[in-house]
Amino acid sequence: MVYPDGKALSYREVLVSRISLCEVCRESKRTQEAWSLSPAPSALGCLWGWPCKTWGYFFSGSTWNAADLPKNVRINPSSISFQMWKDIPVPFYLSVHFFEVLNPKQVLQGEKPVLSQRGPYVYREYRYKTNITFHNNDTVSYLENRNLFFQPDLSNGTEDEYVVVPNILMLGAAVMMEKLPNVLKILLSGALAGLKQEAFMNRTVGEIMWGYEDPLIDTINMLVPGLIPFKGKFGLFVDFNNSNSGLFTVNTGMKDISQVHMIDSWNGLKKVNYWRSSQCNMINGTAGEMWPPFMSPTSLEFYSPDACRSMTLVYEQSGKFKGVPTYRFVAPKTLFANGTDYPPNEGFCPCMQSGIQNVSTCRLNAPMFISHPHFYNADPSLVSAVEGLHPSKEQHGLFLDVHPMTGIPMNCSIKLQLNLYIKRVSGIIQTGKIKPVVLPLLWFAESGFIEGSVLKQFYNNLVLFPSVLDYVQYIFLGLSVPLIISAAVLMAMSKEKCSLFWSSNKKSSDSNKANQASSATNLPPVKGTVLREARM
């Protein structure tokens, strides 16, 4: 071999240089082996691990990180959701639809009522909590106040419009007095005539909603003390506005996040006493605002003071609300079923057909019933008893769309119908020949959905960031593949070069040995004198 400048290399120099180069080869091979074990992962670590840590840093600092979720949804002034729980940012709306009776005179003659739906009359509902008191047993008590404001631009009509509806006080009192002595009923009938009371009345939406003065209240209380235990105005929503729904005491979730928002008591009661069975009197679930996180697709419960009972909704389907994953819960057909069709509801009786629930025991013994709007999911006989009803799931079914990870409703619409049982009562001539019928008065929907900055926060932290993180992982995993291939090719090439180098070295060594042997054979014989001279 020769240097690049043409100087010849000795065998030793060649051998040393080749050994040194092979050490480099071996080091290269070890490096490649190291890359084959760690650099493909190391490449992943460099390209994938750092972004994961970076995104993990931002996401772990986000509002709704799964690991931090329990401390963020529990009821505690330091939790992120506390202000949302205290002053609900979701705009709620109360939409009321009245059923106007188109043929009141014919109904008095025993004909079927013909109804026409009016409205909706829409009210913006504001909710906020006061008297918030934390207790030592990981519970908190509060009053939730609500204020309603009429929204003309969202309504189909005004509060000054007149609607023909049943005279609720008179017809309700008539049914309540049905089993009393005839003399009392005759006295009441005379008083009604003197007050010019009739079975149907024509009043404004505002009067029916928020109350009107009626001398009949004092007259009934004079004839039958305690029959109507209130004074002043009478209105279907008179106690709904500028009021609260009672004193709730719920779990904070400080020790057990699975119990957060679950009711401990309502107005100091562990159960109510409206119904005929212990099961029906139970106060179960939450107050209907939020539920514990990490929900399963089965069912959820809440207590409704307006319905005087706990309600269980069942899982229907998974979906998305504006990109946020949700579980939809709906009312089962058994919710208002009678005790015959669904024995657990026997405690809510006395019952009539399935699909309506008698709430007289929590409504001053008035013959009032609640149901789904237009008797949706009710016995068909209730629908056919009147004209003008068109039940449908889309318009009249209630639902809750809840984000399962946080237990926070994203979209909801709770719909109920208020009905009055009317009939002819002997001795009270004002009831005419009215045939027994459960007559719809109105139905209402309390609806709300998360929007604006709150929705954006949900979407970014629970949908967008995790999705980007997943894509980033796949992208960098894809980018690491060429590195793995490059490492494998480099290892193969280095191995091949080392093999060629050693093969070349062996051939060169054998050639040198042969040349040396040939040279030794061809040398001329050495004479003794020369040797002696050399030795000397």
Side-chain angles (χ1 to χ4, degrees):
M1 291 184 68
V2 294
Y3 285 112
D5 59 2
K7 185 179 179 180
L9 288 172
S10 68
Y11 172 74
R12 179 180 177 84
E13 289 173 322
V14 170
L15 186 61
V16 169
S17 67
R18 291 189 177 183
I19 291 173
S20 299
L21 183 58
C22 281
E23 287 298 324
V24 175
C25 277
R26 290 192 187 98
E27 185 62 29
S28 175
K29 184 176 181 181
R30 283 194 294 268
T31 304
Q32 285 188 343
E33 287 174 348
W35 272 85
S36 69
L37 294 174
S38 85
S42 272
L44 283 171
C46 292
L47 297 179
W48 184 5
W50 182 82
C52 282
K53 291 177 182 177
T54 304
W55 280 106
Y57 172 78
F58 286 109
F59 191 58
S60 65
S62 67
T63 302
W64 301 110
N65 175 264
D68 297 330
L69 189 63
K71 71 178 183 181
N72 286 335
V73 299
R74 64 192 182 189
I75 304 175
N76 184 283
S78 64
S79 71
I80 294 174
S81 64
F82 180 77
Q83 195 61 37
M84 179 191 297
W85 171 81
K86 181 176 179 291
D87 299 306
I88 298 177
V90 178
F92 275 91
Y93 292 92
L94 175 71
S95 302
V96 183
H97 302 257
F98 283 92
F99 289 105
E100 182 169 32
V101 181
L102 300 180
N103 60 337
K105 293 182 179 179
Q106 289 78 9
V107 173
L108 283 170
Q109 297 301 315
E111 294 186 18
K112 181 188 297 188
V114 178
L115 306 178
S116 175
Q117 181 174 289
R118 298 276 298 273
Y121 303 93
V122 182
Y123 298 83
R124 174 71 161 87
E125 185 174 348
Y126 292 89
R127 297 183 180 184
Y128 58 94
K129 293 179 176 65
T130 58
N131 292 28
I132 298 175
T133 305
F134 287 87
H135 307 291
N136 294 329
N137 62 344
D138 295 316
T139 62
V140 59
S141 299
Y142 63 89
L143 293 172
E144 183 170 83
N145 301 277
R146 54 193 175 193
N147 303 113
L148 297 167
F149 298 91
F150 185 65
Q151 306 293 298
D153 55 325
L154 299 177
S155 303
N156 183 23
T158 70
E159 289 188 307
D160 297 326
E161 292 181 346
Y162 281 85
V163 183
V164 177
V165 295
N167 188 333
I168 302 168
L169 276 176
M170 194 207 83
L171 292 176
V175 173
M176 294 166 68
M177 295 178 64
E178 183 178 17
K179 296 181 180 180
L180 293 180
N182 284 333
V183 63
L184 287 178
K185 291 187 284 186
I186 293 172
L187 286 174
L188 176 61
S189 182
L192 292 173
L195 295 172
K196 297 182 179 181
Q197 293 278 343
E198 297 181 354
F200 293 89
M201 60 184 184
N202 189 19
R203 290 194 177 273
T204 67
V205 169
E207 288 177 325
I208 301 170
M209 287 282 293
W210 311 120
Y212 55 90
E213 299 285 350
D214 196 330
L216 182 59
I217 297 174
D218 294 332
T219 301
I220 293 175
N221 283 328
M222 180 182 67
L223 294 173
V224 187
L227 185 68
I228 303 179
F230 64 87
K231 296 181 179 180
K233 290 185 175 182
F234 171 78
L236 294 177
F237 286 78
V238 68
D239 294 327
F240 198 81
N241 195 13
N242 301 318
S243 62
N244 62 73
S245 52
L247 182 68
F248 278 97
T249 301
V250 302
N251 282 275
T252 61
M254 295 298 290
K255 290 184 177 179
D256 186 357
I257 194 61
S258 68
Q259 294 299 305
V260 66
H261 301 296
M262 302 299 285
I263 297 174
D264 180 73
S265 65
W266 175 72
N267 283 340
L269 302 172
K270 298 290 186 179
K271 62 179 183 179
V272 295
N273 58 358
Y274 299 129
W275 315 112
R276 294 167 44 182
S277 73
S278 176
Q279 180 179 350
C280 292
N281 280 321
M282 292 176 66
I283 299 176
N284 297 326
T286 72
E289 297 172 340
M290 299 180 186
W291 281 265
F294 311 115
M295 300 178 71
S296 59
T298 52
S299 63
L300 59 77
E301 288 186 294
F302 64 95
Y303 178 73
S304 171
D306 300 318
C308 310
R309 57 166 289 187
S310 298
M311 292 188 176
T312 300
L313 305 185
V314 296
Y315 170 81
E316 182 186 51
Q317 63 185 13
S318 297
K320 289 186 177 181
F321 176 74
K322 297 187 178 180
V324 179
T326 58
Y327 286 166
R328 171 160 288 195
F329 296 89
V330 298
K333 290 185 177 180
T334 56
L335 183 63
F336 297 132
N338 60 27
T340 302
D341 293 341
Y342 187 62
N345 282 355
E346 182 65 35
F348 294 121
C349 293
C351 299
M352 297 180 71
Q353 300 99 315
S354 276
I356 57 175
Q357 181 188 322
N358 189 338
V359 292
S360 59
T361 53
C362 72
R363 288 291 178 263
L364 309 176
N365 292 316
M368 305 294 292
F369 291 78
I370 59 173
S371 68
H372 295 299
H374 285 243
F375 293 132
Y376 168 68
N377 267 351
D379 191 302
S381 64
L382 292 166
V383 179
S384 60
V386 298
E387 291 185 12
L389 300 183
H390 308 284
S392 72
K393 178 181 179 180
E394 291 72 23
Q395 297 184 43
H396 307 129
L398 64 84
F399 67 86
L400 277 172
D401 290 339
V402 185
H403 182 253
M405 181 186 289
T406 60
I408 296 177
M410 305 299 296
N411 183 28
C412 65
S413 185
I414 303 300
K415 304 169 184 176
L416 289 175
Q417 181 170 293
L418 196 58
N419 311 280
L420 179 68
Y421 178 63
I422 62 175
K423 61 182 293 189
R424 172 186 177 274
V425 177
S426 62
I428 302 178
I429 61 174
Q430 285 80 5
T431 59
K433 299 177 182 178
I434 299 175
K435 289 184 177 180
V437 63
V438 179
L439 187 64
L441 300 175
L442 60 83
W443 70 271
F444 63 90
E446 278 191 286
S447 305
F449 56 88
I450 289 182
E451 61 181 359
S453 61
V454 179
L455 176 63
K456 185 177 180 180
Q457 184 182 46
F458 261 87
Y459 181 77
N460 287 344
N461 295 333
L462 294 171
V463 180
L464 182 61
F465 288 168
S467 297
V468 170
L469 181 59
D470 287 341
Y471 286 127
V472 167
Q473 290 176 349
Y474 286 121
I475 289 171
F476 286 109
L477 179 61
L479 291 175
S480 69
V481 172
L483 292 178
I484 298 173
I485 295 173
S486 300
V489 170
L490 181 61
M491 181 179 68
M493 290 176 64
S494 298
K495 184 176 181 181
E496 183 179 356
K497 286 181 180 179
C498 281
S499 298
L500 291 173
F501 194 87
W502 282 109
S503 176
S504 173
N505 178 54
K506 183 177 181 181
K507 290 179 180 179
S508 177
S509 177
D510 292 344
S511 176
N512 288 335
K513 288 179 180 179
N515 291 334
Q516 290 175 3
S518 176
S519 298
T521 305
N522 295 329
L523 284 174
V526 180
K527 294 183 178 181
T529 55
V530 176
L531 262 175
R532 283 196 295 269
E533 289 174 358
R535 289 174 183 170
M536 290 174 62

